[in-house]
Amino acid sequence: MSLEIKELCFSYDRRDVLCKIDLTAERGEIVGIIGQNGCGKTTLLKCVNSSLVPGMGSVTVDGCQVSEMSRREIAKKIAFVTQTTNVTFPFSVYDTVTMGRYSRMDDEGRKEGDDVRAVFQAMKDTGILKFADRPINELSGGERRRVMIARALAQEPEILLLDEPTLHLDINHQFDLLEMIHRLSKEKNILVLIVTHDIVLASRYCDRIVIMQNKKIHKIGDTIKVMIPENMKDVFYIETEVSEDSRFGLNVLLIGKDKDSPED
């Protein structure tokens, strides 16, 4: 087992954001985390990689408490790609991806043969090798997102955390990116946790779904069992039709807002 979260609670000052979250996940699967704004999805990811310290509960990776690991040790296990891809300095794509190797370099930051190979493999896996010498700030939004995922893959993590990876991307780039993530998760046996607002993409590419509501996990399970009209109505107040797709397993069709939903 790769990841185990037990009784996790987190608060900002006195405002509870997460309450008694329990989740286990294994390498090689993709787990989608969905829910309304403010339900704690991103906060959960930050607790997993110890960017935030939970008030209660624990996060363990391969039996080791994340709270007892150094930042370098965590980076060897967990990679986190945030929503934003803003770049202040015009680093080359190669240099940007190389930054993902800091946890595996020696104390003086010297690159070894394994580091160079990992960087080129990550660029190859994400389809950005042709951009290696390009300044990252000259790339499109979709290309920059791939660079950030390549930087994360260069860490050679067991767990990849993705916060809204398709945000602001054109629809064709959204599908391309999720296809790539799905392929890499299976090929490299990486556990992927994806926070997303796109329930259509989540239903197509995630093995399991976590629906969060009111600071807790509302439903969790195999995608085909969780992505059902009743849950969509309970949490998102929308009417949906869900059908099996011969290529992807599930297809979620958005019909409209539930007529009995609460007013905004």
Side-chain angles (χ1 to χ4, degrees):
M1 184 174 294
S2 187
L3 175 69
E4 185 172 12
I5 301 170
K6 285 186 176 180
E7 295 286 300
L8 187 75
C9 300
F10 182 84
S11 301
Y12 288 107
D13 296 324
R14 297 183 179 180
R15 181 172 63 88
D16 293 336
V17 179
L18 298 174
C19 295
K20 295 186 177 181
I21 303 297
D22 291 310
L23 172 65
T24 59
E26 298 181 0
R27 295 181 67 172
E29 68 173 333
I30 302 177
V31 179
I33 304 173
I34 64 176
Q36 296 269 25
N37 287 337
C39 68
K41 303 185 297 295
T42 298
T43 299
L44 178 58
L45 292 191
K46 291 180 177 179
C47 287
V48 170
N49 85 330
S50 200
S51 296
L52 295 175
V53 179
M56 291 179 59
S58 63
V59 178
T60 59
V61 177
D62 293 335
C64 299
Q65 291 261 10
V66 172
S67 61
E68 298 175 359
M69 299 164 65
S70 68
R71 294 310 306 173
R72 177 170 285 196
E73 289 171 335
I74 293 172
K76 290 179 180 179
K77 296 280 189 180
I78 305 171
F80 189 12
V81 180
T82 61
Q83 292 184 21
T84 58
T85 57
N86 295 330
V87 180
T88 305
F89 299 101
F91 293 113
S92 71
V93 167
Y94 173 80
D95 288 339
T96 302
V97 178
T98 299
M99 294 174 190
R101 293 297 297 176
Y102 86 92
S103 63
R104 298 187 181 273
M105 294 179 184
D106 63 26
D107 292 337
E108 296 182 7
R110 290 177 296 207
K111 293 193 294 291
E112 302 292 342
D114 288 344
D115 298 313
V116 175
R117 282 190 290 272
V119 169
F120 274 93
Q121 187 63 52
M123 290 192 294
K124 180 180 178 182
D125 288 337
T126 52
I128 60 168
L129 193 55
K130 60 187 175 183
F131 303 132
D133 296 325
R134 291 267 303 275
I136 187 173
N137 58 345
E138 292 183 2
L139 303 182
S140 69
E143 292 163 348
R144 285 199 301 273
R145 196 64 53 85
R146 284 176 177 261
V147 172
M148 296 307 172
I149 293 174
R151 184 175 69 177
L153 292 174
Q155 295 176 221
E156 297 181 300
E158 297 177 11
I159 301 171
L160 178 60
L161 309 178
L162 302 174
D163 191 6
E164 296 287 356
T166 59
L167 189 68
H168 303 316
L169 297 185
D170 295 335
I171 186 65
N172 60 318
H173 291 134
Q174 293 177 17
F175 280 101
D176 287 346
L177 191 69
L178 267 297
E179 289 276 5
M180 179 191 74
I181 291 167
H182 186 273
R183 171 177 55 82
L184 293 175
S185 172
K186 307 310 176 185
E187 289 179 356
K188 297 181 178 297
N189 196 30
I190 298 173
L191 166 61
V192 181
L193 266 60
I194 300 180
V195 163
T196 180
H197 281 96
D198 196 320
I199 62 175
V200 174
L201 290 176
S203 68
R204 285 176 175 260
Y205 293 103
C206 295
D207 301 304
R208 288 196 293 146
I209 294 291
V210 175
I211 302 180
M212 298 186 65
Q213 186 181 43
N214 297 328
K215 313 162 195 171
K216 299 179 179 181
I217 292 179
H218 177 71
K219 296 288 182 180
I220 182 172
D222 293 343
T223 300
I224 198 168
K225 296 180 180 179
V226 173
M227 298 296 282
I228 59 177
E230 292 84 352
N231 289 336
M232 298 299 98
K233 185 175 182 179
D234 289 345
V235 176
F236 298 102
Y237 310 114
I238 55 175
E239 298 285 353
T240 59
E241 287 184 2
V242 181
S243 59
E244 291 195 45
D245 186 294
S246 59
R247 289 181 57 199
F248 298 103
L250 274 187
N251 182 49
V252 176
L253 176 64
L254 307 183
I255 304 300
K257 188 173 181 180
D258 176 21
K259 62 180 179 2
D260 297 321
S261 66
E263 293 297 325
D264 295 331

